[in-house]
Amino acid sequence: MPELPEVETIRKYLNKTILRKRIVNIKVFSKKQFPNNSEEIVGAKILSVKRRAKNLIIELSNEKTLLIHLKLSGQLLWRPKTLNKTTRIVIVFDKGELVFNDLRKFGWIKILNLDQLDLELKKFGPEPFSKDFSIKYLQKVFKKSIRPVKTILLDQEKIAGIGNIYANEALSEAEISPQKPVKALTIEEIKKLRKAILLVLRQGIKYNGASAADKLYLKPDSSNGSYQQHFRIYQKNGEKCKKCNTIIERINLGGRGTFFCPKCQNMSRFRYI
DNA sequence: ACTTCAACCTGTGGGC
DNA sequence: TGCCCACAGGTTGAAG
Ligand SMILES: [Zn+2]
């Protein structure tokens, strides 16, 4: 479910609502998703809520942190009306509760000290909104791989935070075939792609993230994001491309649904292999 | 060192 | 209704 814009939307909300609150209890209904001893953080206060890649980092007053990954179906809801059968963890504060729902049970919350946190986060590539995410960096990374460009966009060690929605949307915006071997991108295409990535991520944040067809993504106040209303290509197979009216196709690339306009994002005019 | 792909879970929706 | 298949915002580790 949540990619950079969704996690960032959640981060901003939580950084307002749980700041300086004290953890008084933790209810764990799915042990493997909260493998540590909750006693370690009962009594601690929230100092900040940060994000790295698709991870949320909650900094606590006792030199410990909570590292949270929502994977495909995780939700963090602030004082929801009810718990449900997907509720896996509840963090109880002196005032209010933060509820972790997760239909598919892939997500997790870990308690880490500061060294362990650094260790966990050092593998990620540059944040798209940092200066490290430069044309020069992309050229360096792209020329080393023959994998399809979309696969590289999803590789968190190369670029942090892009997931399947925003990879599809960025390639549509840049009019580049998802299957194109990444080392075959021209400098112009790399510039166009970088710009497209920044654009779709900014739009995603502006619209509070995307709640796609299955509505698994919710903001902490239990409302939907609205970026799905602005999708160019994601899950639009069978519909007409807005630019050229060609029917949008769906293929499987690296096990992920991949959507593209065969005319605007074509590769057939060229030979790569 | 690189790339691919099953595995981790629990659904929903469509075709027959 | 029921069964079977495809599909779902992610990551990992094993195998080639
Ligand atoms: Zn088109």
Side-chain angles (χ1 to χ4, degrees):
Chain A
M1 146 219 280
E3 310 179 29
L4 187 155
E6 288 75 29
V7 178
E8 183 62 18
T9 300
I10 295 168
R11 184 200 69 76
K12 284 194 282 187
Y13 187 99
L14 294 183
N15 203 40
K16 281 185 294 182
T17 52
I18 66 173
L19 215 59
R20 290 180 290 278
K21 287 193 166 61
R22 187 182 299 279
I23 298 171
V24 298
N25 188 21
I26 301 182
K27 302 172 187 171
V28 178
F29 306 113
S30 173
K31 187 72 178 77
K32 72 158 198 167
Q33 296 183 266
F34 194 104
N36 306 103
N37 177 7
S38 59
E39 290 301 317
E40 289 181 52
I41 57 164
V42 168
K45 280 188 178 181
I46 308 300
L47 298 186
S48 69
V49 185
K50 296 177 177 166
R51 181 191 59 76
R52 177 79 172 99
K54 299 167 191 167
N55 296 269
L56 278 170
I57 302 151
I58 301 183
E59 191 190 1
L60 303 174
S61 58
N62 62 351
E63 304 275 294
K64 293 185 190 296
T65 59
L66 287 174
L67 186 66
I68 302 179
H69 202 301
L70 301 171
K71 293 289 179 81
L72 284 158
S73 61
Q75 305 171 333
L76 282 172
L77 305 181
W78 178 245
R79 301 175 85 169
K81 289 209 169 65
T82 59
L83 303 187
N84 63 41
K85 65 181 176 183
T86 73
T87 299
R88 312 301 180 195
I89 297 155
V90 179
I91 300 177
V92 185
F93 291 88
D94 42 8
K95 192 168 192 297
E97 290 183 346
L98 185 63
V99 174
F100 179 87
N101 292 341
D102 188 5
L103 171 67
R104 295 179 70 180
K105 296 185 173 178
F106 293 155
W108 42 254
I109 300 179
K110 296 178 195 172
I111 302 172
L112 301 176
N113 64 37
L114 300 177
D115 289 343
Q116 292 170 320
L117 181 69
D118 283 348
L119 214 60
E120 291 258 359
L121 297 182
K122 73 176 186 189
K123 64 184 171 194
F124 293 108
E127 286 289 326
F129 293 118
S130 75
K131 65 175 179 4
D132 295 339
F133 183 63
S134 61
I135 301 292
K136 205 171 176 177
Y137 171 78
L138 291 177
Q139 272 186 296
K140 187 187 82 181
V141 169
F142 286 4
K143 74 179 180 195
K144 282 192 286 196
S145 175
I146 60 160
R147 297 158 84 195
V149 55
K150 177 161 176 270
T151 309
I152 296 291
L153 297 188
L154 293 173
D155 185 340
Q156 302 299 299
E157 296 184 15
K158 304 296 187 296
I159 306 169
I162 301 176
N164 204 31
I165 290 178
Y166 295 91
N168 276 297
E169 292 294 315
L171 288 165
S172 167
E173 176 67 24
E175 300 182 325
I176 294 169
S177 166
Q179 304 175 82
K180 185 162 181 174
V182 72
K183 66 156 62 168
L185 294 201
T186 64
I187 180 71
E188 288 75 25
E189 286 176 317
I190 295 175
K191 287 180 181 172
K192 205 173 172 187
L193 180 56
R194 178 178 174 278
K195 204 172 167 185
I197 289 168
L198 292 171
L199 174 71
V200 300
L201 293 176
R202 274 201 200 96
Q203 289 178 339
I205 293 170
K206 175 180 167 188
Y207 291 105
N208 298 306
S211 300
D214 53 15
K215 295 217 173 174
L216 245 26
Y217 164 69
L218 297 177
K219 295 188 287 175
D221 64 1
S222 296
S223 65
N224 292 321
S226 54
Y227 192 50
Q228 65 280 4
Q229 295 166 22
H230 304 273
F231 283 170
R232 300 154 181 75
I233 206 92
Y234 183 72
Q235 289 180 335
K236 290 200 179 291
N237 44 326
E239 296 180 34
K240 286 178 182 170
C241 169
K242 288 205 172 60
K243 291 177 201 163
C244 75
N245 274 353
T246 304
I247 300 295
I248 293 168
E249 291 181 13
R250 181 194 184 283
I251 58 168
N252 194 296
L253 205 57
R256 316 302 303 280
T258 300
F259 309 87
F260 66 103
C261 169
K263 188 170 175 193
C264 296
Q265 297 169 266
N266 89 55
M267 192 164 83
S268 59
R269 286 178 295 141
F270 307 99
R271 283 188 75 78
Y272 300 104
I273 302 167

